[in-house]
Amino acid sequence: MRKIVRFRKNHLAVKYKYYASLIFIAFIWGSTFPIIKETLSFVDPLSFLFFRFLVASVIVLPFIIRRINRNIAIYGSIVGVTLFFGYLTQTFGLEYTTPSMSGLITGLYVVLTPVLSVFFLKRKMVKIEILLASVAFLGVALMSLSTSSGELIGNILTLFCAISYALQIILTEKYLKDGDALQFTFFQLLMVALLSLAFHPQAILNFTKIEIPYVLFSVLFNAILGSALAIFIMSVAIKNTNSYISALILISEPLFAVLVSTIVFKYPINVQTIIGGSLIIISMIFAIRIENKK
């Protein structure tokens, strides 16, 4: 009996490490919104994506070069396509909307993940999961009321971003079961870089833009922390938990986006923002508790 209790405690401790790592990713991604927004005043979106993910790919390559698995390469590349369209629509959307609104609309993937899981993972819809996702969505909605709305085209593009991110999370769970998470990460990163160049071949000619100090900082920050490290950690966490709980934890990303936008770039915050953020946190906590009672 003691062994069973000890095993369960150790198992929970490991799971909470994954939960904590997802919160860390949410913070990193939330902080990238205002940084990218400023970067786009110096360089076009596709050039930025190309350099960001090229650098991220180069960082990861030395760690996987001698042990590439063909299936992981294929599946990672497939998921990389959804990641590319997520970043593409999000980055273009940031040209026409505010960082806070971008973070908030992107957060809708928490609602889309359990719904799309029915089709891609053949998972049954659980009432409590839909309820908690809806509470998180309500939090997102309340927070959005306290921010400037941005232009319609920017918000629509960001909505497609939310769909792409939901698919990326779901397909990561589907394809990354026993595979190497680092290899899986590399091929996602590489696919985003290649598709960025394919959509905008002139991107490679914009190398001089990297000489601008802020652009260089943004590329390195987003490549190292926001891409290579974050996507690897997320892949490992999804592999050891599931897409639903991962999405519900990552929904705290827009909360961090609002906080960073408010603290660094002086975007407004009010009672609605606080209530909305509280609902997101509450839904996340309940989801974790329910998941660990299974």
Side-chain angles (χ1 to χ4, degrees):
M1 185 66 180
R2 289 182 179 178
K3 289 184 178 180
I4 295 175
V5 173
R6 191 180 301 113
F7 171 79
R8 179 169 176 77
K9 286 183 177 180
N10 291 337
H11 181 66
L12 287 176
V14 171
K15 275 200 168 186
Y16 274 100
K17 288 181 181 178
Y18 292 125
Y19 300 151
S21 68
L22 288 168
I23 293 174
F24 171 72
I25 294 171
F27 168 74
I28 293 296
W29 281 343
S31 66
T32 64
F33 285 105
I35 294 174
I36 294 173
K37 177 71 174 179
E38 294 297 315
T39 305
L40 295 180
S41 63
F42 298 101
V43 63
D44 65 274
L46 281 171
S47 293
F48 171 71
L49 284 177
F50 170 67
F51 289 117
R52 170 182 175 175
F53 283 90
L54 177 65
V55 172
S57 301
V58 170
I59 290 171
V60 176
L61 180 60
F63 299 99
I64 60 99
I65 191 65
R66 294 185 178 181
R67 50 190 178 91
I68 294 176
N69 179 277
R70 180 174 176 272
N71 287 335
I72 290 293
I74 293 172
Y75 294 143
S77 298
I78 291 172
V79 177
V81 174
T82 64
L83 184 63
F84 166 73
F85 281 106
Y87 277 111
L88 178 70
T89 51
Q90 183 185 69
T91 305
F92 269 106
L94 269 170
E95 287 195 300
Y96 304 100
T97 192
T98 63
S100 296
M101 182 57 70
S102 178
L104 294 168
I105 297 176
T106 299
L108 291 175
Y109 65 78
V110 71
V111 181
L112 296 170
T113 298
V115 175
L116 295 177
S117 293
V118 175
F119 302 98
F120 289 91
L121 300 177
K122 308 301 180 183
R123 178 178 291 156
K124 293 182 180 180
M125 294 187 73
V126 181
K127 291 182 180 179
I128 188 62
E129 290 184 356
I130 299 300
L131 175 62
L132 291 173
S134 299
V135 171
F137 172 74
L138 178 60
V140 170
L142 284 173
M143 292 179 73
S144 68
L145 293 176
S146 65
T147 65
S148 53
S149 60
E151 295 182 31
L152 180 61
I153 182 63
N155 295 339
I156 291 174
L157 284 169
T158 311
L159 178 60
F160 281 106
C161 162
I163 296 171
S164 297
Y165 283 169
L167 287 174
Q168 191 245 352
I169 291 172
I170 291 168
L171 293 178
T172 295
E173 180 182 350
K174 182 180 178 67
Y175 293 133
L176 186 62
K177 293 180 179 178
D178 301 313
D180 187 311
L182 193 57
Q183 289 186 52
F184 196 79
T185 298
F186 170 76
F187 286 104
Q188 288 186 73
L189 299 172
L190 182 62
M191 181 56 67
V192 176
L194 293 176
L195 286 175
S196 298
L197 186 61
F199 273 69
H200 185 50
Q202 292 80 12
I204 199 168
L205 301 177
N206 289 328
F207 185 80
T208 54
K209 298 288 186 179
I210 305 298
E211 296 176 358
I212 300 173
Y214 189 87
V215 175
L216 178 61
F217 158 74
S218 181
V219 167
L220 292 176
F221 179 87
N222 284 281
I224 297 170
L225 296 179
S227 300
L229 181 63
I231 294 173
F232 169 65
I233 293 175
M234 185 189 73
S235 298
V236 173
I238 293 175
K239 179 180 178 180
N240 290 278
T241 55
N242 59 61
S243 58
Y244 167 73
I245 195 69
S246 297
L248 203 49
I249 292 175
L250 288 172
I251 191 60
S252 58
E253 175 187 349
L255 175 60
F256 288 120
V258 170
L259 290 175
V260 173
S261 296
T262 299
I263 295 170
V264 179
F265 294 94
K266 309 304 180 184
Y267 282 86
I269 189 170
N270 57 25
V271 175
Q272 288 171 313
T273 301
I274 296 172
I275 295 174
S278 299
L279 289 175
I280 291 173
I281 294 171
I282 289 170
S283 64
M284 180 177 67
I285 291 173
F286 272 96
I288 291 174
R289 289 178 63 86
I290 293 170
E291 179 69 20
N292 289 327
K293 287 182 179 180
K294 291 181 179 179

